[in-house]
Amino acid sequence: NHDVEVWAGSKTEIVDLEGGFAMPGIYDMHQHPDLALVPDLVGQFNLPEMAAPEQIKQMVLDHAEEHPDGGWIVAHGWEVPPFMEADIEPGMAWIDSFLPDRPVFLVDRSRVYNMFNARAAELAGISRETRDPRHGSFARDAITGDLTGLVIDGAQAPLWAALPPVPQSVYEEAYGHAVKMLAANGVVGVKFSHMNVSMIEAVHQLDEEGKLTLRCETHLSWKDDIGPVPGRWDYIAGKRLMYRSELVNPNGVKFHFDGVTNARSAYMLQPYRDSDKRGTLNLRPTEIKDVVTYLDKVGVRVDAHCNGDGSVRLFLDAVEHARRINGPNGPRHQSTHT
């Protein structure tokens, strides 16, 4: 107490906690409440960490038996290493070997290296003739060109779009629960990332109802991958300001400049050790420079997913370019998953 009391002045309020614990509030720089909480609320399910292929297979079959309606089966959290250890190739052939007549979509833990079966491809309208988008790709057989059932980064958009839409009430329940969990653990400020407008509306509704018990910054997704983001340009152009309040800062946009290392899509300065490739960029270098400069000018924070050192370099160069054109007083941009 003696060490603290020397800083007390005439207007200092002194509260005796009688031995209780006090700590500074936590600011959490990156959260995805929808990814963590929505699946359970819409009939999807999460897989155990490092689940073996046989365990995943049994959980999918059990879910199909418990839900015999013929609808989509979506599970989250599979990982590559257990498949490598079991010498099993993840993808369409493996899923169809035990459940060919239901659409199955398995989302990996990084959410950018997902697998689907033939029925899911049919409902999503994708085939060997489907072109890869600029911000993602479909894995294909090296000889036939057929889809293998693995989808990387932004190419997953048609699969998410084919799923039943998430009700607005589910987003509100998920973000309401997240706010309570965060506040209970000492979080006083948070950045909610990779959002669509419905998710931002959910945060706004909590704010309007007096249920938002922390400060938050909302980051709209730049691309349509985990579901479409309609109204993106209206939002960036000014609609975002409708959501601003004492607790909510809506001036953030989330980018994926590259992918992830386990899919070899993180963009590197040098090729991977097991490949002659350096990964992929989801935007061209000139686009990265232009969008960072534009958003910097209008006061919008760029939240940039940069998993590889090559994409980090391009992002830092873009921020340097933006500062050179716009001056030094723009928002603090951030590199995420670096």
Side-chain angles (χ1 to χ4, degrees):
N1 284 350
H2 178 267
D3 292 340
V4 176
E5 286 166 356
V6 298
W7 300 100
S10 60
K11 296 183 179 179
T12 302
E13 179 184 0
I14 299 176
V15 180
D16 187 350
L17 299 180
E18 299 178 348
F21 176 70
M23 60 178 276
I26 298 169
Y27 280 77
D28 192 310
M29 298 291 284
H30 193 86
Q31 281 274 344
H32 296 286
D34 54 293
L35 305 188
L37 301 174
V38 166
D40 285 340
L41 297 173
V42 294
Q44 301 171 12
F45 62 98
N46 291 297
L47 299 167
E49 191 168 345
M50 286 293 180
E54 193 61 33
Q55 186 180 10
I56 296 173
K57 171 184 173 180
Q58 192 57 53
M59 291 182 72
V60 169
L61 290 172
D62 290 346
H63 188 85
E65 186 176 347
E66 293 165 7
H67 303 82
D69 56 7
W72 283 80
I73 296 175
V74 182
H76 298 254
W78 76 275
E79 297 170 83
V80 173
F83 280 82
M84 296 176 65
E85 291 170 11
D87 197 25
I88 291 175
E89 190 72 30
M92 192 179 295
W94 177 69
I95 301 174
D96 283 344
S97 71
F98 61 86
L99 193 63
D101 56 347
R102 292 275 295 270
V104 179
F105 186 37
L106 303 181
V107 184
D108 93 313
R109 196 161 294 278
S110 69
R111 304 192 68 85
V112 296
Y113 198 59
N114 307 332
M115 66 168 124
F116 56 92
N117 66 350
R119 179 60 178 149
E122 179 185 351
L123 293 178
I126 54 179
S127 66
R128 60 175 293 166
E129 283 74 38
T130 303
R131 292 183 179 180
D132 290 344
R134 278 173 42 206
H135 61 302
S137 62
F138 295 98
R140 302 173 190 272
D141 185 278
I143 298 175
T144 66
D146 292 335
L147 300 180
T148 67
L150 284 175
V151 58
I152 299 165
D153 294 325
Q156 63 187 286
L159 290 147
W160 288 105
L163 293 171
V166 177
Q168 183 65 30
S169 59
V170 168
Y171 284 133
E172 291 175 11
E173 183 177 353
Y175 278 90
H177 185 56
V179 164
K180 290 179 181 177
M181 290 174 64
L182 289 163
N185 284 281
V187 176
V188 298
V190 65
K191 293 180 183 180
F192 290 141
S193 191
H194 205 16
M195 306 174 79
N196 59 31
V197 176
S198 293
M199 298 172 195
I200 294 170
E201 286 277 1
V203 173
H204 175 67
Q205 189 63 30
L206 290 171
D207 190 24
E208 291 283 288
E209 295 174 0
K211 297 177 181 177
L212 193 61
T213 53
L214 41 68
R215 298 184 184 278
C216 74
E217 185 171 280
T218 55
H219 292 189
L220 186 78
S221 177
W222 181 260
K223 66 175 185 175
D224 303 308
D225 58 353
I226 309 176
V229 188
R232 178 189 293 105
W233 288 108
D234 287 344
Y235 182 90
I236 293 171
K239 186 181 177 183
R240 69 183 189 280
L241 301 175
M242 294 170 55
Y243 301 108
R244 189 171 184 87
S245 73
E246 288 289 321
L247 294 176
V248 179
N249 175 11
N251 294 323
V253 173
K254 171 66 181 293
F255 287 83
H256 279 74
F257 287 163
D258 65 349
V260 295
T261 52
N262 65 346
R264 299 300 184 265
S265 58
Y267 185 70
M268 300 293 183
L269 294 172
Q270 301 294 330
Y272 287 89
R273 291 178 182 175
D274 56 359
S275 169
D276 60 349
K277 297 179 181 178
R278 293 170 51 193
T280 54
L281 282 172
N282 295 332
L283 288 84
R284 291 186 289 261
T286 52
E287 288 180 286
I288 292 174
K289 186 178 291 186
D290 287 346
V291 296
V292 171
T293 301
Y294 169 72
L295 293 174
D296 181 81
K297 184 176 181 179
V298 297
V300 172
R301 187 193 315 281
V302 174
D303 175 5
H305 167 117
C306 298
N307 206 201
D309 54 1
S311 61
V312 172
R313 174 77 59 82
L314 287 169
F315 176 50
L316 294 176
D317 287 347
V319 173
E320 182 181 40
H321 177 76
R323 293 286 187 255
R324 192 160 51 240
I325 291 177
N326 300 331
N329 298 321
R332 291 183 180 181
H333 307 296
Q334 71 182 65
S335 181
T336 300
H337 302 311
T338 302

